[in-house]
Amino acid sequence: MAATRQRVHADDLADSIGLGSEELAMRKRFLEFDDDDVQRLEGMYGLTHEHVDAVIEAFYEHLLSFPETTSFFRDPRLLEHVKGRQKNYFIRLTQGDYDHDYVTDRLRLGSIHERIGLPVRSFLGMYAFYLRQIAALLVQEHPGDPEHAFQKFHSLTKLLFFDIGLGVDMYIHQRERTIAVQQDAIRELSTPVLTIRDRLLVLPIIGILDTSRAQQLTEELLRSIRESRAQVVILDVTGVPAVDSAVANHLLQTVEASRLMGAQVIVTGLSASVAQALVTLGVDLTKLNAVGDLQGGIEVANGIMRYQVVAIDDTIPEVVDAGPDPEAG
Amino acid sequence: MPVPILKQGDCLIASIQSALTDADLLELRDELSERVGRYRSKGVIIDVTVLDVLDSFASRTLRTMAEMIRLRGAETVIVGIQPEVAFSMVQLGLSLDGVTTVLDLEEGLAHLDRSRRARVAHAGG
């Protein structure tokens, strides 16, 4: 699902992260961004158009004076490209029509910044820089009329905070998607049920067991018991760093459910600290057939299944059917 | 719908064919403990493969059924509990303590066979 969402057409970007027109209108109301603000911003078009080159140059000079941000713009061609984009961005602030297309554009910007790994603090710092520059320009343009300049500055602040909100949302959205993809991957990897011999299963559990994972694990195990007609199951918890009472109860439920399906469960690899925690918690573990390690577990399983492992003795000649003796003919 | 009870050597096999009402279950219990005596059976297999739910009444009845049959001189094996059923039972805290449960009918017959041999060996020794 995450992968398909990534390929969503740019126009649907706002919708895909749950920013419908209602939500956007609500955000503007929250910032008290109204038609007067739009008008004032549009009135600033001349100003931004006139000063865009100087502002952007100053902006990158500022960015490149910090090693942390310099690293993102090493390639001079890339630098030219992003300068062009920043100019468009800067002028776009005063071009009115702050609706769907505007939002999509802002989201795309946020997503690009996230992808190149620009820290959020630098992202915010860029906005602070714009505000400082424009404040200076406005004071310059309205000498002796600070109130007028302040009103315009105010409208711009609202719009920039609107932009910041969209950008940060995009950052969060991308990170969450990455986390979701990784969680899926972990979930798929985390519950292998291995058949090591006919009717003997081993379930190595690695990592933290939470409720959903424990449940998934149990379901997976019960299915495997039916499919492979397992007689014995070894649940190896060597890789489980901590066990709380919830997880202990899940283990017991798994053992009991497996018994109902006719399979015996052996739990192996309970570490000293885990064992101590379980005893301290007072969980009733009398039904738990625990063996020290996986090796011991397999030996116990051999006993139950009446198998015996015998080392091959090389001093006894092997009985091999070599076919007809070539010298006989 | 009554549960058909088949006789196979010294075993009885109760093969549940569809979801059971509480009354059906009680009837099965009485019928089985009666037939154990009549046929002098040594083992009883109750096949619950088709059941997709085992509630508290059903598990309690299965437990008492096994206990009654034991007192009448036979061993009970419940076979064919489905993964989903097993899981929801343990989640609801329903247990079948003291009752042997195995995977399917084949395993059940094998289990009773082992018990029979153990009995013979014991008697012989």
Side-chain angles (χ1 to χ4, degrees):
Chain A
M1 198 172 103
T4 50
R5 212 188 281 163
Q6 201 160 17
R7 265 182 253 119
V8 163
H9 195 261
D11 282 350
D12 302 323
L13 203 56
D15 286 336
S16 76
I17 70 166
L19 293 175
S21 48
E22 258 178 57
E23 164 72 17
L24 292 173
M26 201 279 286
R27 286 181 179 213
K28 285 180 187 167
R29 274 205 309 282
F30 194 76
L31 291 165
E32 298 185 331
F33 185 83
D34 53 26
D35 290 346
D36 290 343
D37 293 308
V38 174
Q39 229 166 8
R40 257 177 244 130
L41 286 166
E42 282 173 345
M44 288 159 68
Y45 178 70
L47 182 80
T48 51
H49 200 71
E50 189 186 337
H51 295 284
V52 59
D53 288 330
V55 170
I56 297 299
E57 281 308 320
F59 179 70
Y60 279 97
E61 205 177 305
H62 181 70
L63 272 186
L64 296 178
S65 64
F66 291 88
E68 183 181 77
T69 37
T70 310
S71 60
F72 293 104
F73 306 105
R74 283 203 200 291
D75 183 353
R77 268 183 320 175
L78 176 74
L79 186 63
E80 278 315 304
H81 175 72
V82 292
K83 270 187 189 176
R85 300 212 42 154
Q86 282 296 337
K87 282 179 192 173
N88 288 341
Y89 172 83
F90 189 67
I91 293 175
R92 183 69 187 84
L93 287 171
T94 56
Q95 283 179 318
D97 190 15
Y98 306 109
D99 289 323
H100 190 266
D101 290 348
Y102 182 85
V103 169
T104 305
D105 187 55
R106 270 28 184 172
L107 289 175
R108 209 178 302 147
L109 208 70
S111 121
I112 291 168
H113 284 134
E114 198 276 340
R115 205 174 316 141
I116 64 171
L118 187 76
V120 178
R121 57 178 180 277
S122 308
F123 181 75
L124 294 178
M126 282 156 63
Y127 282 96
F129 186 85
Y130 276 140
L131 283 171
R132 287 202 298 279
Q133 291 283 314
I134 293 170
L137 288 176
L138 285 169
V139 171
Q140 219 174 7
E141 203 196 39
H142 301 283
D145 188 4
E147 196 177 326
H148 201 160
F150 189 67
Q151 270 187 344
K152 285 186 172 178
F153 183 68
H154 219 62
S155 299
L156 190 82
T157 315
K158 290 178 192 172
L159 184 64
L160 284 185
F161 268 85
F162 181 68
D163 282 12
I164 291 172
L166 295 173
V168 169
D169 269 0
M170 206 60 210
Y171 265 80
I172 295 172
H173 171 72
Q174 305 253 66
R175 298 273 158 100
E176 279 177 351
R177 201 176 53 196
T178 311
I179 293 170
V181 169
Q182 287 171 345
Q183 271 179 342
D184 281 349
I186 292 170
R187 205 168 297 140
E188 274 171 32
L189 287 172
S190 63
T191 49
V193 180
L194 312 171
T195 310
I196 64 167
R197 189 197 300 139
D198 205 24
R199 311 194 63 191
L200 172 58
L201 300 180
V202 173
L203 214 84
I205 307 174
I206 293 167
I208 304 282
L209 267 179
D210 57 17
T211 310
S212 73
R213 195 178 157 208
Q215 188 164 338
Q216 191 202 359
L217 187 132
T218 309
E219 284 169 11
E220 183 78 27
L221 173 62
L222 295 181
R223 252 201 314 278
S224 305
I225 289 175
R226 182 175 58 183
E227 271 162 28
S228 54
R229 309 188 75 242
Q231 195 179 356
V232 181
V233 177
I234 300 174
L235 212 62
D236 183 57
V237 295
T238 312
V240 179
V243 171
D244 58 14
S245 57
V247 172
N249 280 323
H250 273 299
L251 284 179
L252 288 176
Q253 285 187 349
T254 309
V255 171
E256 182 61 18
S258 306
R259 191 190 75 89
L260 289 173
M261 301 263 315
Q264 285 191 52
V265 178
I266 301 166
V267 178
T268 63
L270 286 164
S271 69
S273 62
V274 168
Q276 194 183 9
L278 288 176
V279 174
T280 319
L281 284 167
V283 187
D284 177 20
L285 296 172
T286 45
K287 278 188 194 164
L288 210 63
N289 183 3
V291 180
D293 55 11
L294 185 60
Q295 185 185 353
I298 292 173
E299 280 161 13
V300 172
N302 283 344
I304 295 168
M305 299 173 77
R306 310 196 56 72
Y307 273 92
Q308 195 176 11
V309 180
V310 183
I312 294 172
D313 188 346
D314 284 331
T315 59
I316 300 170
E318 262 182 272
V319 184
V320 181
D321 182 12
D325 188 351
E327 282 171 34
Chain B
M1 190 181 119
V3 177
I5 297 171
L6 318 170
K7 182 173 168 298
Q8 157 72 39
D10 60 0
C11 297
L12 293 179
I13 302 170
S15 171
I16 297 173
Q17 304 291 324
S18 63
L20 296 180
T21 64
D22 291 358
D24 290 338
L25 265 168
L26 294 177
E27 193 189 318
L28 175 66
R29 180 191 68 189
D30 298 343
E31 190 66 22
L32 273 177
S33 50
E34 195 269 325
R35 288 207 199 178
V36 164
R38 195 195 314 160
Y39 297 127
R40 309 188 68 241
S41 303
K42 289 293 169 205
V44 174
I45 291 175
I46 303 172
D47 184 358
V48 298
T49 308
V50 298
L51 296 185
D52 48 17
V53 64
L54 268 173
D55 59 12
S56 63
F57 182 82
S59 16
R60 186 151 36 95
T61 312
L62 285 175
R63 265 203 320 269
T64 49
M65 213 184 286
E67 185 59 15
M68 281 170 70
I69 291 167
R70 189 182 69 80
L71 293 173
R72 303 270 287 158
E75 182 186 0
T76 305
V77 183
I78 292 173
V79 307
I81 296 180
Q82 295 302 303
E84 302 78 33
V85 178
F87 193 46
S88 52
M89 279 177 73
V90 295
Q91 278 193 320
L92 294 171
L94 305 175
S95 68
L96 283 176
D97 281 344
V99 184
T100 308
T101 50
V102 299
L103 191 74
D104 53 19
L105 186 61
E106 185 182 348
E107 285 294 304
L109 287 168
H111 177 86
L112 289 179
D113 198 42
R114 277 195 298 275
S115 299
R116 183 185 305 115
R117 264 184 283 163
R119 219 165 36 233
V120 169
H122 187 72

